[in-house]
């Protein structure tokens, strides 16, 4: 069963929930406001997952002052969520200070991690710094040759999170990388601990979904059923991809969502490195506006979940030019926010 939460934890979550809900509703009215910026804090990773194209083994962490300057630029663009990522995020020596800085700049800090470097002390410090949510990646129960992001070695860290985290925890498994039954076992175990369990589809180096086996498809259905309450409509693109159907959506990467690499360049998403590769300090409203409207040729087969989620906010809009700011559909805004808002328990 989920751990009982202290009054302090509940209060912290409730306050965060209200603040984020307000920012999301406000941003629904402004199509050129970035919802999610992913910022690489170090490219180095302590693991070498067989399906991952997003790490190296030797580079140095980006200096904290450089990252802070990037955070200020994201604040100037009125960004809602800043996701700190890598490589492995917890390898950055100043990660807690950076989380606090994102919060101080008026934005909502989120983190992706494999969780292996978590300790009770670090969990408390991240909570105090104002971390809003952490996504932990766990692909299987036992480490194998493809992924060592595994439930068994991570269980002590997950129990510490269940006891101490004031932030929301979501566990994500990449389906199509190993034994799908183990992904279901991960989802069941983390749901018992009170966390959200999600899965995403393995994608190739260009972001296209890779076909799933029947067993992986069945695992997807089971994990989805387990999380019916927190599953947002924006995740249903995965079903279409699994069934080899084309997905009807307009990608807003480069505007609502983008990624900033260790060199401080803006890319449309983690699978579109090199486009436009413009320095963040020069990236402005004109770039956001252009990216918002641009047709992306990779959209039909895209399995980049963040791109779909961030684009969902605007699915109610005219898919061509935005001539005027229209009235926000509450249903769309609410569905977009469901991806991030804590389950009120
Ligand atoms: C690149 S990692 C970086 C942060 C951190 N090290 C972690 O494990 O979460 C971010 C996320 O991207 C996922 N990922 C990496 N390569 C992928 C691929 N080819 N297809 C789908 N997801 C992928 C990882 O599993 C992880 O959930």
């Amino acid at each position: 069963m989920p751990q009982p939460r202290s009054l302090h934890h509940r209060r912290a979550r409730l306050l965060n929930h209200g603040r984020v809900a307000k920012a999301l509703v406000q941003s629904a009215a402004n199509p050129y406001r970035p919802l999610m910026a992913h910022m690489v804090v170090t490219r180095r990773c302590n693991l070498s997952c067989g399906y991952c194209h997003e790490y190296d083994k030797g580079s140095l962490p980006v200096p904290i002052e450089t990252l802070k300057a990037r955070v200020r630029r994201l604040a100037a663009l009125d960004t809602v969520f800043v996701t700190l990522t890598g490589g492995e995020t917890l390898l950055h020596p100043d990660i807690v200070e950076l989380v606090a800085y994102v919060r101080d700049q008026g934005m909502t800090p989120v983190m992706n991690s494999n969780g292996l470097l978590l300790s009770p002390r670090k969990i408390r410090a991240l909570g105090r710094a104002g971390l809003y949510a952490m996504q932990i990646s766990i692909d299987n129960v036992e480490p194998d040759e493809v992924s060592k992001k595994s439930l068994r070695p991570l269980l002590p860290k997950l129990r510490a999170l269940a006891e101490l985290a004031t932030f929301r925890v979501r566990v994500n498994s990449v389906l199509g990388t190993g034994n799908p039954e183990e992904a279901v076992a991960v989802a069941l175990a983390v749901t018992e601990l009170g966390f959200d369990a999600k899965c995403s589809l393995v994608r190739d180096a260009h972001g296209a979904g890779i076909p799933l086996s029947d067993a992986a498809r069945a695992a997807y259905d089971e994990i989805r059923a387990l999380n019916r309450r927190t599953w947002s409509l924006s995740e249903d693109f995965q079903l279409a991809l699994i069934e080899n159907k084309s997905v009807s959506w307009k990608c807003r990467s480069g505007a609502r969502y983008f990624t900033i690499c260790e060199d401080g360049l803006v890319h449309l998403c983690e699978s579109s490195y090199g486009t436009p590769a413009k320095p963040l300090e020069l990236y402005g409203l004109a770039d956001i506006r252009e990216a918002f409207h641009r047709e992306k040729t990779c959209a039909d087969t895209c399995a980049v979940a963040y791109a779909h989620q961030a684009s969902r906010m605007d699915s109610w809009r005219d898919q061509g030019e935005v001539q005027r700011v229209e009235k926000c559909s509450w249903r769309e805004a609410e569905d977009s926010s469901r991806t991030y808002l804590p389950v009120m328990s």
Side-chain angles (χ1 to χ4, degrees):
M1 286 298 289
Q3 299 284 323
R5 298 236 152 242
S6 71
L7 210 58
H8 165 69
H9 285 190
R10 282 170 163 267
R11 192 167 169 273
R13 286 192 177 201
L14 207 61
L15 285 174
N16 274 336
H17 179 82
R19 196 174 44 75
V20 170
K22 188 171 161 213
L24 282 168
V25 169
Q26 286 171 345
S27 61
N30 178 1
Y32 307 128
R33 180 174 181 185
L35 286 175
M36 273 184 261
H38 276 205
M39 191 166 81
V40 172
V41 299
T42 177
R43 185 57 71 185
R44 189 161 75 91
C45 193
N46 49 355
L47 294 178
S48 315
C49 299
Y51 57 86
C52 184
H53 313 278
E54 298 171 32
Y55 72 93
D56 70 26
K57 294 312 278 181
S59 58
L60 293 173
V62 182
I64 181 75
E65 291 310 324
T66 306
L67 290 171
K68 284 184 174 176
R70 291 174 192 168
V71 168
R72 287 194 293 278
R73 180 69 196 143
L74 291 174
L77 294 174
D78 212 9
T79 307
V80 179
F81 293 100
V82 178
T83 305
L84 306 175
T85 189
E88 173 44 41
T89 320
L90 289 172
L91 281 174
H92 199 289
D94 302 312
I95 195 67
V96 173
E97 184 180 340
L98 190 63
V99 167
Y101 195 72
V102 172
R103 188 69 202 85
D104 286 350
Q105 292 293 309
M107 298 176 289
T108 299
V110 178
M111 176 188 287
N112 289 347
S113 171
N114 59 37
L116 286 168
L117 298 172
L118 281 172
S119 63
R121 198 167 160 207
K122 190 127 267 177
I123 294 168
R124 284 197 193 93
L126 288 167
R128 278 197 301 271
L131 187 68
Y132 177 67
M134 176 181 282
Q135 176 178 288
I136 308 258
S137 311
I138 308 181
D139 297 324
N140 48 25
V141 175
E142 296 291 338
D144 62 25
E145 64 288 355
V146 177
S147 174
K148 300 199 172 6
K149 301 199 249 200
S150 311
L151 183 64
R152 191 183 49 73
L154 275 166
L155 260 180
K157 316 282 184 189
L158 295 175
R159 291 195 182 113
L161 279 167
E163 187 188 342
L164 302 171
T166 47
F167 43 88
R168 176 184 173 183
V169 177
R170 175 168 81 177
V171 171
N172 188 69
S173 306
V174 178
L175 274 184
T177 59
N179 179 350
E181 283 165 19
E182 292 201 18
V184 177
V186 170
L188 283 167
V190 304
T191 307
E192 279 283 299
L193 284 165
F195 306 143
D196 295 342
K198 298 278 172 178
C199 58
S200 52
L201 310 181
V202 66
R203 46 178 198 268
D204 66 18
H206 307 290
I210 295 174
L212 289 188
S213 64
D214 289 347
R217 165 67 214 254
Y220 180 87
D221 289 341
E222 265 191 75
I223 297 170
R224 185 170 182 266
L226 199 64
N227 289 274
R228 199 169 295 287
R229 202 159 62 98
T230 57
W231 210 266
S232 96
L233 290 178
S234 61
E235 287 162 288
D236 277 352
F237 78 92
Q238 295 177 330
L239 276 179
L241 281 181
I242 290 172
E243 288 165 5
N244 221 1
K245 293 182 186 146
S246 74
V247 183
S248 167
W249 71 305
K250 177 142 181 170
C251 173
R252 309 295 187 174
S253 290
R256 291 298 204 177
Y257 167 65
F258 50 82
T259 183
I260 302 137
C261 69
E262 62 275 36
D263 299 323
L265 305 176
V266 175
H267 310 269
L268 294 183
C269 68
E270 54 268 49
S271 295
S272 298
Y273 266 55
T275 313
K278 185 167 179 174
L280 176 63
E281 70 266 24
L282 303 177
Y283 204 75
L285 187 59
D287 302 290
I288 290 175
R289 192 188 294 263
E290 190 277 327
F292 185 92
H293 295 292
R294 191 194 312 168
E295 291 293 337
K296 281 102 178 176
T297 49
C298 45
D300 272 358
T301 53
C302 173
V304 180
Y306 290 109
H308 284 269
Q309 286 158 3
S311 302
R312 172 108 195 137
M313 177 69 92
D314 302 290
S315 55
W316 56 279
R317 284 181 204 282
D318 177 355
Q319 299 294 294
E321 277 299 298
V322 175
Q323 303 294 351
R324 63 201 158 87
V325 173
E326 296 166 61
K327 207 164 163 255
C328 164
S329 142
W330 279 90
R331 183 143 193 280
E332 297 298 344
E334 204 223 5
D335 186 58
S336 295
S337 63
R338 205 178 308 159
T339 311
Y340 292 99
L341 296 182
V343 181
M344 307 306 287
S345 54

